[in-house]
């Protein structure tokens, strides 16, 4: 069996990931980790976890899979949070942004690797990163820095796994580009005085430059099936031909 743990499966890219793997093969099982459930399928199992609550995430445990051929963790869930310059945001918004985008994924990574360290299945971690983690965007200080943290954490784990024995994990941090999701709606509704680039994101929608989640899900699936092609830990779906 192939087991896919995916965070944020209630909508958007996470839901597209889940449906893709459920429909791809009968031996794929998808385990969703998010606050709400929006998928009904015989091979889908849901865990109701608030990724903004680090203690709830800490209490989640990955079960054993003795029949596994492949075990995958996709850290997909993310929030743009309050779009305001640093100094004008709230402490609560900062805490929530870092918790969802960096702290909870780090806790899940740690737990995942601890649970399956002795498994001889193929073990893969895909972190959904962002171009915002590689370049500054005004008003997105918390989002940019939390995504930069995910990229660096991925690089550290990849370095550590080079000498891990006997069953190392594979890891990539994959940038999806601009995708037509609820997050884009939030960005377009930001106060213009706090976000100078708002017209760029409004135009992405008007000019049909936003990728459909299903297309991006297929590209991530391609990456999973061709891990050895990628020598760099940081990957962009822009480099993947349409699947």
């Amino acid at each position: 069996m192939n087991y896919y743990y995916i965070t944020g499966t209630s909508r958007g890219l996470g839901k597209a990931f889940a449906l893709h793997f459920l429909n791809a093969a009968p031996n794929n099982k998808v385990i969703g980790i998010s606050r709400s459930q929006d998928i009904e399928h015989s091979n889908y199992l849901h865990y109701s976890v608030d990724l903004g609550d680090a203690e709830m995430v800490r209490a989640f445990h990955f079960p054993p899979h003795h029949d596994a051929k492949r075990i995958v963790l996709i850290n997909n869930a993310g929030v743009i949070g309050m779009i305001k310059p640093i100094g004008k945001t709230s402490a609560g918004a900062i805490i929530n942004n870092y918790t969802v985008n960096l702290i909870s994924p780090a806790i899940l990574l740690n737990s995942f690797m601890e649970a399956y360290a002795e498994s001889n299945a193929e073990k893969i971690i895909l972190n959904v990163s962002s171009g915002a983690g590689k370049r500054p965007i005004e008003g997105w200080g918390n989002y940019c820095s939390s995504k930069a943290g995910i990229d660096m954490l991925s690089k550290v784990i990849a370095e550590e796994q080079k000498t891990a024995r006997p069953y190392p994990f594979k890891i990539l941090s994959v940038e999806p580009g601009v995708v037509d999701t609820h997050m884009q709606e939030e960005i377009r509704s930001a106060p213009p005085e706090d976000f100078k680039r708002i017209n760029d994101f409004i135009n992405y929608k008007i000019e049909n430059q936003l990728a459909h989640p299903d297309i991006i899900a297929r590209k991530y699936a391609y990456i999973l099936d061709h891990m050895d092609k990628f020598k760099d830990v940081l990957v962009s779906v822009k480099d993947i031909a349409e699947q």
Side-chain angles (χ1 to χ4, degrees):
M1 299 294 295
N2 301 316
Y3 295 90
Y4 296 88
Y5 287 87
I6 306 170
T7 64
T9 51
S10 60
R11 63 186 179 189
L13 192 52
K15 185 175 181 180
F17 286 147
L19 293 176
H20 175 86
F21 293 120
L22 288 169
N23 294 324
N27 63 328
N28 287 348
K29 288 196 173 183
V30 173
I31 302 93
I33 303 172
S34 64
R35 283 182 297 180
S36 57
Q37 179 175 353
D38 195 48
I39 298 172
E40 296 293 339
H41 191 285
S42 58
N43 277 7
Y44 180 78
L45 175 64
H46 189 84
Y47 287 99
S48 182
V49 178
D50 182 356
L51 295 165
D53 184 338
E55 287 305 313
M56 185 178 283
V57 175
R58 184 181 181 182
F60 175 80
H61 297 288
F62 291 90
H65 296 302
H66 301 298
D67 62 344
K69 180 180 179 182
R70 169 189 278 184
I71 313 174
V72 178
L73 172 63
I74 302 179
N75 272 317
N76 158 76
V79 293
I80 188 69
M82 187 179 288
I83 298 177
K84 282 186 177 295
I86 299 299
K88 293 185 177 181
T89 189
S90 69
I94 293 170
I95 291 168
N96 186 67
N97 195 294
Y98 279 96
T99 301
V100 175
N101 294 337
L102 182 57
I103 295 173
S104 287
I107 293 171
L108 289 173
L109 276 170
N110 186 67
S111 180
F112 181 83
M113 296 180 72
E114 183 179 22
Y116 304 123
E118 301 303 318
S119 172
N120 62 359
E122 182 184 31
K123 300 172 297 189
I124 302 175
I125 299 162
L126 289 187
N127 289 322
V128 176
S129 63
S130 172
K134 302 169 182 66
R135 49 191 174 271
I137 300 175
E138 291 183 62
W140 292 19
N142 300 312
Y143 184 74
C144 288
S145 54
S146 61
K147 286 299 185 179
I150 277 292
D151 281 347
M152 181 54 71
L153 180 59
S154 302
K155 293 173 78 170
V156 170
I157 292 170
E159 196 67 24
E160 291 171 345
Q161 290 301 299
K162 287 180 180 178
T163 55
R165 297 291 184 271
Y167 309 117
F169 292 79
K170 301 175 184 177
I171 185 167
L172 293 176
S173 193
V174 184
E175 177 188 337
V178 286
V179 189
D180 198 2
T181 63
H182 180 70
M183 184 182 289
Q184 287 292 321
E185 295 176 17
E186 293 182 291
I187 293 169
R188 294 194 297 271
S189 65
E193 64 271 19
D194 292 325
F195 184 38
K196 296 178 181 178
R197 286 193 57 197
I198 188 169
N199 286 330
D200 292 341
F201 286 82
I202 291 172
N203 288 332
Y204 290 153
K205 181 68 172 178
I206 293 171
E207 297 169 4
N208 294 317
Q209 294 184 43
L210 300 177
H212 194 280
D214 292 348
I215 293 173
I216 302 304
R218 290 197 294 271
K219 291 189 175 186
Y220 272 76
Y222 174 86
I223 291 169
L224 272 172
D225 290 336
H226 299 84
M227 291 289 291
D228 292 338
K229 285 188 174 184
F230 303 97
K231 305 306 178 186
D232 194 350
V233 178
L234 307 185
V235 177
S236 172
V237 296
K238 296 174 186 176
D239 302 326
I240 309 298
E242 186 162 337
Q243 301 303 304

